[in-house]
Amino acid sequence: MENNKNIGHRIIHLPVVDSTNNYLTMLFNNGDINHGCVIMADKQTRGRGQRDNNWESEEEKNIILSLCIEPIKFSVLNQFDISCFTSLSIISFLKEIGISASIKWPNDIMVNDKKIAGILIENQLLGKNIKFSNIGIGINVNQLNFSNLNATSLSKELNLNRNLKSDKSLIIKHLNINYNTFFYNHNELRKEYLKYLYQYQIIAKYKSNKGFFLGEITGVSEWGKLQVKVDNSIIEFDNKEIEFI
Ligand code: BTN
């Protein structure tokens, strides 16, 4: 295991691929890449999102990347920390270019109630530890039209066309900074995550399998479950068990 390498020490750029996450896993399984390696693409033909959704992204407009992380002695029990690290890296990248964003649990990055970036993390385990984490990141940069009205991009927010190449370097810079600061620092990571959590400590409407209800997000459990105060008791929800209304 080589973990002394910087994130982005090797960047493989592809004009077109089905999904950078698929490609990264294939290379990792073949032993062709190691910790810190990044795959970027101009276009994906089968970009994948969470919950089996597709990830649509116009060609050469946006950041499409997957990052290989080989954590050292990293328990699967801490896997939500990988999501925190990734979300916070995107948040600090956006902050540097003047966009203030929040993290809609578990890992959508939002600007004024619109989604600007998405994350798809796929882990391979070795016993109780994570051997390989495949971190897929899609950030909308210069795309202006979205079939989903609830989406936005850097250029829409800033009202100018962005230099995609510089933004690609900038996100790598922030992944590096955040990796070095937070990746193994569970408490700090969680504290920072809560600072940017969407609807944190706000009473809002949600939906579960029991129907609509009003609740207040109070935190995220060790395992990454969303903690919501409903009628004075705290209920923990898994990814598919709660919907934001
Ligand atoms: C989501 O919000 O649903 C997650 C979207 C993740 C999209 C990225 S783009 C790069 C990487 N390759 C994929 O196929 N998906 C992720």
Side-chain angles (χ1 to χ4, degrees), residues 19-21 44 47-50 55 64-66 108 115 118-120 136-138:
S19 151
T20 53
N21 270 42
Q44 293 184 122
R48 294 189 289 114
Q50 294 161 39
W55 181 257
I64 295 170
L65 73 80
S66 298
D108 286 348
K115 182 160 164 173
I119 299 165
L120 178 68
I137 300 176

Side-chain angles (χ1 to χ4, degrees), residues 39-135:
I39 310 292
M40 294 215 177
D42 292 336
K43 179 182 169 175
Q44 293 184 122
T45 52
R46 288 199 57 202
R48 294 189 289 114
Q50 294 161 39
R51 305 182 190 205
D52 293 327
N53 287 323
N54 295 331
W55 181 257
E56 307 293 346
S57 178
E58 283 176 13
E59 188 166 354
E60 286 183 76
K61 290 273 168 78
N62 303 319
I63 294 174
I64 295 170
L65 73 80
S66 298
L67 162 66
C68 170
I69 294 285
E70 293 179 87
I72 296 168
K73 291 190 190 140
F74 198 91
S75 163
V76 67
L77 301 180
N78 286 335
Q79 64 178 316
F80 191 70
D81 286 3
I82 302 179
S83 165
C84 297
F85 147 72
T86 311
S87 300
L88 289 170
S89 302
I90 301 173
I91 292 281
S92 64
F93 156 76
L94 291 171
K95 206 183 235 180
E96 177 163 346
I97 61 178
I99 295 177
S100 117
S102 59
I103 307 162
K104 186 169 170 188
W105 178 90
N107 47 23
D108 286 348
I109 308 300
M110 310 295 288
V111 177
N112 298 328
D113 289 321
K114 292 193 170 178
K115 182 160 164 173
I116 201 160
I119 299 165
L120 178 68
I121 297 173
E122 297 171 307
N123 296 323
Q124 273 183 23
L125 308 184
L126 185 66
K128 286 178 184 158
N129 287 338
I130 292 180
K131 171 181 162 204
F132 157 57
S133 183
N134 182 341
I135 303 181

Side-chain angles (χ1 to χ4, degrees), residues 100-239:
S100 117
S102 59
I103 307 162
K104 186 169 170 188
W105 178 90
N107 47 23
D108 286 348
I109 308 300
M110 310 295 288
V111 177
N112 298 328
D113 289 321
K114 292 193 170 178
K115 182 160 164 173
I116 201 160
I119 299 165
L120 178 68
I121 297 173
E122 297 171 307
N123 296 323
Q124 273 183 23
L125 308 184
L126 185 66
K128 286 178 184 158
N129 287 338
I130 292 180
K131 171 181 162 204
F132 157 57
S133 183
N134 182 341
I135 303 181
I137 300 176
I139 305 176
N140 300 328
V141 178
N142 281 324
Q143 186 165 334
L144 294 176
N145 300 308
F146 296 93
S147 50
N148 177 356
L149 290 177
N150 198 30
T152 188
S153 62
L154 271 54
S155 64
K156 278 188 96 154
E157 293 304 314
L158 298 170
N159 253 315
L160 47 84
N161 200 60
R162 301 278 312 168
N163 181 327
L164 185 57
K165 210 169 160 220
S166 316
D167 284 337
K168 286 177 178 170
S169 309
L170 203 56
I171 183 68
I172 300 288
K173 177 183 121 180
H174 282 274
L175 285 162
N176 258 308
I177 296 172
N178 281 272
Y179 187 81
N180 294 329
T181 323
F182 287 132
F183 197 82
Y184 294 99
N185 199 341
H186 175 77
N187 292 344
E188 284 303 309
L189 197 56
R190 293 307 187 95
K191 233 197 271 168
E192 197 70 6
Y193 186 83
L194 290 185
K195 279 194 205 161
Y196 296 98
L197 189 59
Y198 179 80
Q199 292 186 173
Y200 180 50
Q201 295 179 328
I202 287 173
I203 295 173
K205 199 169 174 185
Y206 299 94
K207 189 179 169 212
S208 71
N209 58 1
K210 293 189 182 129
F212 294 94
F213 63 94
L214 282 178
E216 178 189 337
I217 296 177
T218 55
V220 174
S221 76
E222 287 295 301
W223 313 82
K225 289 192 179 192
L226 189 69
Q227 297 167 321
V228 185
K229 188 157 98 186
V230 188
D231 297 332
N232 273 325
S233 50
I234 308 279
I235 307 180
E236 293 193 348
F237 294 93
D238 237 329
N239 200 351

